[in-house]
């Protein structure tokens, strides 16, 4: 079975990435064989299309509501369930895997399409393409086209498998607003050494970039009556933080996890700013406060905290409830904190609550009541024994986010990386305002905090014949209350994309649908049951209308007669 052509074609238009992977395979044996198509794609992406064509006959994937697809499938396959075609394979990726039996000398072409909105983190966008053909490929090519009307500020490519020979196969052409990256290694360049047929191509191919930002009130782009508004202020004074680290030191954290946690906390302590205040609470079945109040991050206090962190050891049960309630009460009682400051609690745990209150619903309720919107809660789940759904619901109900920390060699870096994302809050209570009677389907437009290096994105449909789209942003910075205003000329903005040949026409509408689905799904996690159903119904309707494989839809993949007829591609979620 030979892959004779593999092409990854990716078009990024104003952060919205549309990727098509095409693999062509021939069976050179004199009997039928399994041809396999295996692709890793970012977890944040939605698959939008898949097809196989065998000797000219096309077998398309069809996207349906998950429940009804599952029912059909169960009827077709009486002997229980196969594993499904998509599974999570790591921190950032999931794998799509399908195989089909093809006759001697037959050819099959697999084509997979997926879309995602690139998210700015720590000052850059990252496009990740996983490369792993497992064999030498005669025609191998990666094409990345980027068009950013705001202008490209910097652009870099990186890869985990580059050699000097392979670098020669990489070209980059770039002007003010566009870039084209082409990676096209010959068979010889792909080889580990000339004698062996082993490939070097195994790992990540990454493109990182950022855009130029002029206008204070962000940048607005409009196509076919849909708008997107990007807002990422920079060089603003940073809010002082009051941060409490709540660290699990129960028995299951013993060994490597607690070591990695110590390493990360020691680095994080070095990153605190002088005007920050901080404290530690550690817990197993007992809850221990390092100090009874928050301390300022002076050199002396940081050194004393480092001494404490080095003594962290792990044993015993897990009382998440009391640990978090203690953290809230420390913030409630805190005195002499900076007038305008941001208070946050960062919880790191690797297990289920086993001591004290162990009913997760009661814990969620207790914490939400205690926090009462005053502070932001971030929940980091270490490994796979945590109830991720519980942590995610708790974080989202209290203005924060949850993240899984994978038990790899780089766990300490993952923890530090997360801290860096939330280390520099520069705006709070951000409201993005648009003319009420002129916009439909507006995505989320008020935000509790904005962190340096990230980006706020709001999208919607301009309902009537507006000539000018006025926007107003209200927010609080460390030093003042801000009001920023901007007007977008609809006709002029539409012109920007008119003559761009490689832009897919309705990309802002698809971006709007993608963002709306992501936000509806996120909102449904922390919603009451009735609301949950409404939110999921809306997300399902959009998933079907725009053909996205989301956690509410399935793609039914049909195979030629005589083979297991259908298989399902579902979207896995971090909570499983």
């Amino acid at each position: 079975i030979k892959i004779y052509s593999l092409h990854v074609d990716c078009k990024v238009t104003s952060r919205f990435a549309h990727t098509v992977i095409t693999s062509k395979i021939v069976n050179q044996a004199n009997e039928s064989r399994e041809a396999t198509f295996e692709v890793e794609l970012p977890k944040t992406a939605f698959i939008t299309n898949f097809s196989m064509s065998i000797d000219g006959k096309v077998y398309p994937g069809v996207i349906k509501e998950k429940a009804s697809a599952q029912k059909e499938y169960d009827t077709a396959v009486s002997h229980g369930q196969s594993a499904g075609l998509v599974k999570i394979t790591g921190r950032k990726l999931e794998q799509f895997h399908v195989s089909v039996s093809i006759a001697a000398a037959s050819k099959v072409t697999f084509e997979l399409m997926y879309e995602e909105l690139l998210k700015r983190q720590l000052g850059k966008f990252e496009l990740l393409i996983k490369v792993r053909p497992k064999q030498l490929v005669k025609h191998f090519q990666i094409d990345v086209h980027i068009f950013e009307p705001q202008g490209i500020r910097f652009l870099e490519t990186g890869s985990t498998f580059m050699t000097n020979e392979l670098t020669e196969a990489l070209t980059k052409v770039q002007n003010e607003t566009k870039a084209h990256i082409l990676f096209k290694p010959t068979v010889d360049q792909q080889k580990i050494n000339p004698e062996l047929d082993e490939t070097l191509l195994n790992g990540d191919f990454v493109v990182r970039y950022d855009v130029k930002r002029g206008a204070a009130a962000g940048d607005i782009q409009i196509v076919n009556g849909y708008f997107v508004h990007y807002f990422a202020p920079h060089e603003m004074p940073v809010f002082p933080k009051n941060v409490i680290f709540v660290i699990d030191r129960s028995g299951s954290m013993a060994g490597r996890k607690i070591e990695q946690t110590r390493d990360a906390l020691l680095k994080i302590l070095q990153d605190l700013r002088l005007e920050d205040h901080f404290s530690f609470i550690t817990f197993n079945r007992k809850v221990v406060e390092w100090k009874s109040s928050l301390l300022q991050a002076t050199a002396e206090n940081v050194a004393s905290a480092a001494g404490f962190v080095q003594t962290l050891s792990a044993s015993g049960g897990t009382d998440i409830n009391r640990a978090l309630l203690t953290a809230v009460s420390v913030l409630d009682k805190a005195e002499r904190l900076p007038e305008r400051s941001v208070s946050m609690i960062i919880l790191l745990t690797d297990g289920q609550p086993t001591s004290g209150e162990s009913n997760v619903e009661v814990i969620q309720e207790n914490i939400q009541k205690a926090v009462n919107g005053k502070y932001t809660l971030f929940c980091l789940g270490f490994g796979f024994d945590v109830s991720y759904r519980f942590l995610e619901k708790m974080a989202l109900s209290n203005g924060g986010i949850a993240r899984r920390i994978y038990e790899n060699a780089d766990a300490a870096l993952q923890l530090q990386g997360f801290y860096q994302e939330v280390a520099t809050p520069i705006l709070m209570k951000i409201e993005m305002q648009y003319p009420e009677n002129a916009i439909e389907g507006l995505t989320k437009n008020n935000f509790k905090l904005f962190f340096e290096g990230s980006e706020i994105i709001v999208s919607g449909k301009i309902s009537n014949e507006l000539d000018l789209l006025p926007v107003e942003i209200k927010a609080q910075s460390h030093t003042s209350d801000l009001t920023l205003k901007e007007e977008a000329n609809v006709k002029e903005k539409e012109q920007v994309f008119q003559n761009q040949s490689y832009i897919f026409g309705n990309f802002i509408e698809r971006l709007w649908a993608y963002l709306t689905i992501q936000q509806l799904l996120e909102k449904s996690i922390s919603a009451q049951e009735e609301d949950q159903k409404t939110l999921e119904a809306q997300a399902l309707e959009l998933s079907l209308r725009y053909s996205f494989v989301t956690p509410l839809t399935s793609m039914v993949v049909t195979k030629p007669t005589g083979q297991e007829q259908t298989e399902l591609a579902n979207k896995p979620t971090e909570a499983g």
Side-chain angles (χ1 to χ4, degrees):
I1 286 280
K2 190 131 186 82
I3 302 174
Y4 61 93
S5 164
L6 184 59
H7 190 181
V8 179
D9 182 47
C10 181
K11 296 179 172 39
V12 184
T13 310
S14 184
R15 346 267 197 274
F16 194 64
H18 171 89
T19 304
V20 182
I21 299 179
T22 311
S23 170
K24 297 183 177 180
I25 297 178
V26 60
N27 177 5
Q28 295 177 333
N30 46 17
E31 57 191 10
S32 61
R33 290 278 161 92
E34 281 289 278
T36 299
F37 177 66
E38 195 175 86
V39 169
E40 287 183 83
L41 61 144
K43 287 179 183 176
T44 42
F46 290 149
I47 289 173
T48 63
N49 207 345
F50 169 73
S51 68
M52 297 184 281
S53 63
I54 302 170
D55 296 332
K57 185 171 171 22
V58 179
Y59 298 85
V62 181
I63 295 174
K64 299 186 173 178
E65 181 193 357
K66 192 173 187 172
S68 63
Q70 191 63 53
K71 212 186 257 156
E72 271 177 49
Y73 176 73
D74 290 342
T75 321
V77 183
S78 48
H79 57 261
Q81 216 198 309
S82 82
L85 302 174
V86 189
K87 60 173 196 283
I88 287 181
T89 49
R91 195 154 56 95
K92 293 182 177 176
L93 298 163
E94 60 193 35
Q95 183 194 73
F96 177 89
H97 175 113
V98 70
S99 52
V100 62
S101 169
I102 56 171
S106 275
K107 289 181 175 175
V108 56
T109 299
F110 294 104
E111 185 180 87
L112 180 74
M113 209 179 278
Y114 59 85
E115 292 178 345
E116 67 175 317
L117 182 56
L118 301 181
K119 191 173 171 205
R120 188 167 183 251
Q121 277 176 322
L122 302 174
K124 45 171 110 49
F125 300 100
E126 179 180 282
L127 180 72
L128 172 59
I129 296 169
K130 186 78 174 184
V131 177
R132 214 171 61 186
K134 297 181 180 167
Q135 54 172 266
L136 299 171
V137 178
K138 189 176 178 190
H139 302 288
F140 179 94
Q141 183 169 337
I142 296 177
D143 267 299
V144 178
H145 286 273
I146 298 172
F147 175 49
E148 287 289 349
Q150 283 167 271
I152 296 169
R153 188 174 67 79
F154 81 90
L155 173 80
E156 58 185 28
T157 56
S159 132
T160 51
F161 52 78
M162 273 303 169
T163 59
N164 291 340
E165 268 75 63
L166 281 174
T167 315
E168 292 168 16
L170 181 68
T171 53
K172 201 163 81 172
V173 183
Q174 181 184 349
N175 64 19
E176 187 73 10
T177 57
K178 286 182 186 169
H180 176 212
I181 292 148
L182 173 64
F183 179 54
K184 198 176 175 179
T186 61
V187 170
D188 286 342
Q189 287 170 323
Q190 294 170 39
K191 288 183 180 180
I192 289 181
N193 72 40
E195 274 68 72
L196 295 174
D197 282 354
E198 280 178 52
T199 177
L200 284 162
L201 305 183
N202 181 3
D204 299 344
F205 183 82
V206 185
V207 179
R208 296 186 191 86
Y209 73 94
D210 195 22
V211 300
K212 296 179 178 165
R213 295 170 206 281
D219 186 74
I220 292 174
Q221 296 171 20
I222 301 172
V223 171
N224 296 345
Y226 283 81
F227 81 91
V228 59
H229 184 182
Y230 299 107
F231 179 53
H234 52 104
E235 291 169 14
M236 293 184 97
V238 176
F239 279 106
K241 297 189 295 302
N242 316 308
V243 58
I244 299 186
F245 297 95
V246 181
I247 305 296
D248 183 341
R249 55 183 172 88
S250 61
S252 53
M253 285 285 288
R256 194 140 165 243
K257 286 189 207 167
I258 201 84
E259 279 168 34
Q260 291 174 315
T261 302
R262 285 198 298 256
D263 292 349
L265 289 173
L266 290 170
K267 297 273 193 337
I268 287 169
L269 280 167
Q270 299 309 311
D271 287 344
L272 289 168
R273 292 189 170 75
L274 181 59
E275 62 274 17
D276 289 339
H277 287 70
F278 74 104
S279 191
F280 287 98
I281 289 171
T282 63
F283 69 96
N284 45 20
R285 62 187 174 75
K286 296 208 288 284
V287 172
V288 177
E289 297 177 59
W290 169 56
K291 296 282 190 260
S292 57
S293 63
L294 287 155
L295 295 190
Q296 193 181 346
T298 60
E300 196 180 343
N301 287 338
V302 166
S304 148
F308 164 73
V309 165
Q310 269 152 342
T311 66
L312 274 182
S313 64
S315 66
T318 313
D319 191 345
I320 293 177
N321 184 57
R322 211 151 48 91
L324 285 174
L325 290 175
T326 307
V328 174
S329 89
V330 171
L331 286 170
D332 283 344
K333 294 193 307 245
E335 288 159 8
R336 296 193 305 281
L337 293 178
E339 174 98 357
R340 279 192 177 217
S341 59
V342 168
S343 298
M344 53 176 77
I345 298 168
I346 298 179
L347 167 71
L348 173 68
T349 177
D350 76 333
Q352 319 272 356
T354 55
S355 308
E357 180 56 67
S358 61
N359 178 329
V360 292
E361 273 146 24
V362 176
I363 299 175
Q364 279 159 351
E365 224 165 284
N366 291 348
I367 305 310
Q368 200 169 349
K369 214 171 11 209
V371 170
N372 196 12
K374 297 175 296 217
Y375 318 124
T376 303
L377 171 64
F378 296 104
C379 295
L380 303 176
F382 205 142
F384 281 84
D385 297 329
V386 288
S387 166
Y388 190 80
R389 185 154 301 184
F390 157 62
L391 295 178
E392 189 172 38
K393 182 170 182 175
M394 207 158 51
L396 292 170
S397 306
N398 295 290
I401 59 167
R403 178 137 332 148
R404 195 189 294 280
I405 302 297
Y406 277 69
E407 288 182 59
N408 302 338
D410 71 344
L413 287 172
Q414 293 175 53
L415 288 166
Q416 266 170 270
F418 172 80
Y419 174 75
Q420 282 165 348
E421 284 175 50
V422 299
T424 42
I426 57 177
L427 289 179
M428 57 200 272
K429 297 185 181 150
I430 304 111
E431 287 178 38
M432 314 277 285
Q433 298 171 340
Y434 308 87
E436 270 178 31
N437 50 358
I439 302 294
E440 284 170 42
L442 190 64
T443 59
K444 180 178 158 115
N445 68 328
N446 49 3
F447 303 85
K448 193 167 174 175
L449 293 170
F450 175 80
F451 298 101
E452 173 81 67
S454 66
E455 179 173 61
I456 283 175
I457 304 180
V458 182
S459 181
K461 184 181 182 185
I462 304 170
S463 52
N464 50 18
E465 295 300 303
L466 266 195
D467 296 330
L468 292 174
L469 174 63
V471 300
E472 184 170 290
I473 301 173
K474 288 192 156 76
Q476 292 178 8
S477 80
H478 179 41
T479 47
S480 64
D481 288 355
L482 302 176
T483 303
L484 304 168
K485 292 185 176 179
E486 181 75 61
E487 265 191 338
N489 181 316
V490 177
K491 293 260 184 311
E492 270 173 33
K493 290 286 181 190
E494 291 252 12
Q495 280 316 147
V496 174
F497 295 97
Q498 289 298 311
N499 41 16
Q500 303 303 333
S501 54
Y502 61 76
I503 305 312
F504 43 111
N506 57 349
F507 90 92
I508 293 185
E509 183 177 344
R510 295 193 67 79
L511 178 159
W512 166 82
Y514 172 96
L515 191 58
T516 304
I517 292 166
Q518 294 278 32
Q519 291 177 357
L520 288 167
L521 292 171
E522 189 172 287
K523 222 164 145 184
S524 78
I525 291 167
S526 57
Q528 300 302 320
E529 212 170 309
E530 292 72 75
D531 300 339
Q532 214 164 8
K533 289 199 166 46
T534 318
L535 294 163
E536 286 184 355
Q538 290 172 299
L540 171 62
E541 195 274 321
L542 284 172
S543 304
L544 291 169
R545 188 183 344 153
Y546 291 95
S547 82
F548 285 128
V549 178
T550 70
L552 302 169
T553 51
S554 286
M555 185 165 64
V556 182
V557 173
T558 311
K559 296 184 178 178
T561 325
Q563 302 189 38
E564 279 197 23
Q565 281 294 287
T566 53
E567 287 189 286
L568 293 186
N570 291 330
K571 172 88 182 155
T573 62
E574 198 60 74

